Amino acid sequence: MKKLLQKLINRETLTYLIFGVLTTLVNYVVFWLFNRLLTEHWVLVTNAIAFVAAVAFAYVTNKLFVFESKSWAPKVVWKELIMFVAARLLSFGLEELGLLLARDVFHAASYTLLGIGGLMIAKILLSVLTVILNYFFSKFMVFTKK
């Protein structure tokens, strides 16, 4: 059990979680700021801007601090960036699909647990899954050590 914990809790996973929290903060701050500037009528544009800002922040912090990818050669950066964005779009799509299923198939909005609505619980669970998927995508597909 101790070996498993040491494998799961290390510098890489801890920095990934720290920068994941900061990435989420970037997303929410940019969303809030642009939502105030553009009004709620432009919520989808605002969400897209927040997503782009968060993915850009996540790419740089993951490259530099989490997976310590040292190369800034254009060929390496483009490969990493394309794979990183593709992985983030895939996990975002899976999260959207999960929310759609929670809403339309499982009718999660009609449930509450400890005062928390079912859709919010679904969002939280899907966010955890997204973080785990993004970590594995980044570790094994994007920032691979050669």
Side-chain angles (χ1 to χ4, degrees):
M1 183 69 169
K2 186 177 179 182
K3 276 190 170 188
L4 178 62
L5 279 176
Q6 287 175 333
K7 275 190 158 267
L8 292 175
I9 302 172
N10 55 51
R11 184 209 58 81
E12 186 179 272
T13 56
L14 290 176
T15 55
Y16 183 81
L17 288 173
I18 290 166
F19 285 109
V21 168
L22 291 174
T23 297
T24 301
L25 186 62
V26 166
N27 184 292
Y28 279 73
V29 167
V30 171
F31 179 84
W32 176 82
L33 178 65
F34 277 89
N35 198 44
R36 292 196 38 104
L37 291 172
L38 300 176
T39 72
E40 290 151 4
H41 178 73
W42 295 93
V43 69
L44 296 178
V45 172
T46 297
N47 195 46
I49 293 168
F51 177 78
V52 169
V55 169
F57 177 82
Y59 171 74
V60 171
T61 57
N62 277 243
K63 179 176 181 60
L64 294 176
F65 305 113
V66 178
F67 299 104
E68 299 177 331
S69 175
K70 303 293 184 199
S71 178
W72 287 97
K75 182 179 177 182
V76 172
V77 170
W78 277 113
K79 178 192 171 278
E80 287 175 348
L81 191 56
I82 289 168
M83 293 292 292
F84 190 82
V85 170
R88 294 295 165 119
L89 286 171
L90 176 63
S91 64
F92 177 72
L94 291 172
E95 184 176 15
E96 289 283 289
L97 178 62
L99 284 172
L100 183 68
L101 290 171
R103 185 190 71 193
D104 293 347
V105 175
F106 300 111
H107 307 288
S110 62
Y111 301 99
T112 60
L113 179 66
L114 302 173
I116 302 170
L119 281 176
M120 183 54 74
I121 292 169
K123 170 72 172 160
I124 292 166
L125 293 173
L126 288 163
S127 293
V128 170
L129 178 62
T130 297
V131 167
I132 293 167
L133 282 174
N134 284 337
Y135 174 78
F136 283 103
F137 287 151
S138 293
K139 182 169 181 69
F140 298 112
M141 294 173 59
V142 179
F143 301 108
T144 58
K145 307 249 193 251
K146 302 214 168 94

